[in-house]
Amino acid sequence: MADAVKRRPDLFIGFASISPERRAHRRAWEDQDLALLEELDGLLATGQFKGIGEISAVHFPSPGFPESDYDPTGPMMGGIMALARKYRVPVLVHVESTRMRELAALLEAFPDVNLIWAHGGYTPLFLARRMLERHPNLTYELSARTWPRHPRSPDYTILQDGRSVWPEWLELIETMPGRFIIGTDASHRSLESERMKFESVQSFLRQLSPATRERVAQANLLGLTEPRP
């Protein structure tokens, strides 16, 4: 990733990660060994990375991906957030809705750190609205939410018919245009899958008003990752 950013900084924005799904990091998460934070600190100190993540602190099992369930208020996540504060970068965190109470506590403990909630925790509409209203430092990320069908659960999509976004979701996004960003989710190493993901994002963006589309498609992310004075 660092090499890609060096070659094409006009195309790539690199995030540094010490996520527990990686075998090299799993034991440190199990033991809450904060020495792992030194690795992240070193990556961020290079200046090549504009964010942290994806950190899969709480992630349900999926093919080839073991379940993780680490307390978002624990010392490891606290250390990650402290480094985000130090380097003034956002953190992309995967936390399922089973740990919303702890996620809320983390957001309150670090009000000056921007946290991007991967897939928005796959929350239903009313919980998305509640979290956004209560936590101004939270950005709701929409990767995998625009797929025509999600393999883990059909209700993870925000589409009502495999293509059209539910009007209620559109209303929320249009009402809070500065709080959402798009995404495709990780590669499945399949051309067919990548085409589906790309087309789903484009279809979703076309359903937004032009001003909101610009913000959700790029301006919000750039605002989070560009250096602040």
Side-chain angles (χ1 to χ4, degrees):
M1 181 59 70
D3 289 341
V5 172
K6 286 180 181 178
R7 290 195 304 268
R8 294 302 303 270
D10 56 322
L11 290 180
F12 295 102
I13 299 173
F15 277 41
S17 180
I18 53 168
S19 193
E21 76 269 15
R22 297 185 64 185
R23 293 187 183 93
H25 300 150
R26 188 85 174 187
R27 176 57 66 88
W29 279 83
E30 294 286 352
D31 299 337
Q32 292 292 287
D33 182 359
L34 302 186
L36 181 59
L37 296 173
E38 297 176 7
E39 177 180 333
L40 180 60
D41 196 355
L43 290 170
L44 295 171
T46 67
Q48 297 175 350
F49 300 96
K50 305 303 181 183
I52 299 170
E54 180 178 351
I55 302 295
S56 297
V58 184
H59 197 303
F60 293 151
S62 58
F65 197 104
E67 182 170 9
S68 61
D69 188 17
Y70 301 100
D71 186 353
T73 62
M76 189 68 79
M77 274 307 308
I80 290 172
M81 296 291 281
L83 286 173
R85 172 188 284 160
K86 174 182 176 181
Y87 290 99
R88 297 189 298 172
V89 296
V91 185
L92 173 62
V93 180
H94 188 124
V95 173
E96 307 281 359
S97 58
T98 51
R99 289 279 200 164
M100 280 185 54
R101 183 185 299 272
E102 292 91 339
L103 179 62
L106 184 68
L107 287 160
E108 292 169 1
F110 293 89
D112 54 343
V113 175
N114 291 311
L115 189 147
I116 304 170
W117 195 6
H119 327 293
Y122 293 113
T123 53
L125 179 71
F126 79 96
L127 290 179
R129 179 184 294 110
R130 176 185 296 177
M131 290 293 285
L132 289 168
E133 289 176 346
R134 293 181 177 179
H135 305 288
N137 54 328
L138 178 65
T139 296
Y140 199 98
E141 191 256 2
L142 292 164
S143 68
R145 303 302 298 274
T146 61
W147 296 356
R149 184 175 179 84
H150 197 289
R152 282 171 55 190
S153 183
D155 59 352
Y156 279 177
T157 178
I158 62 172
L159 309 180
Q160 58 181 319
D161 54 7
R163 187 171 184 81
S164 300
V165 181
W166 282 101
E168 295 84 353
W169 272 104
L170 285 176
E171 180 183 6
L172 177 63
I173 295 168
E174 293 285 352
T175 301
M176 309 179 79
R179 308 294 298 283
F180 291 87
I181 59 175
I182 57 163
T184 60
D185 203 18
S187 173
H188 290 162
R189 298 175 177 83
S190 158
L191 181 59
E192 180 181 4
S193 174
E194 301 311 299
R195 183 179 294 113
M196 176 276 292
K197 294 177 182 182
F198 176 79
E199 290 177 351
S200 80
V201 167
Q202 297 302 314
S203 175
F204 162 72
L205 290 174
R206 285 193 294 268
Q207 297 177 59
L208 302 177
S209 67
T212 298
R213 181 186 310 136
E214 169 66 16
R215 299 189 71 175
V216 175
Q218 67 173 10
N220 291 339
L221 177 62
L222 294 176
L224 292 171
T225 56
E226 289 179 343
R228 290 171 289 173

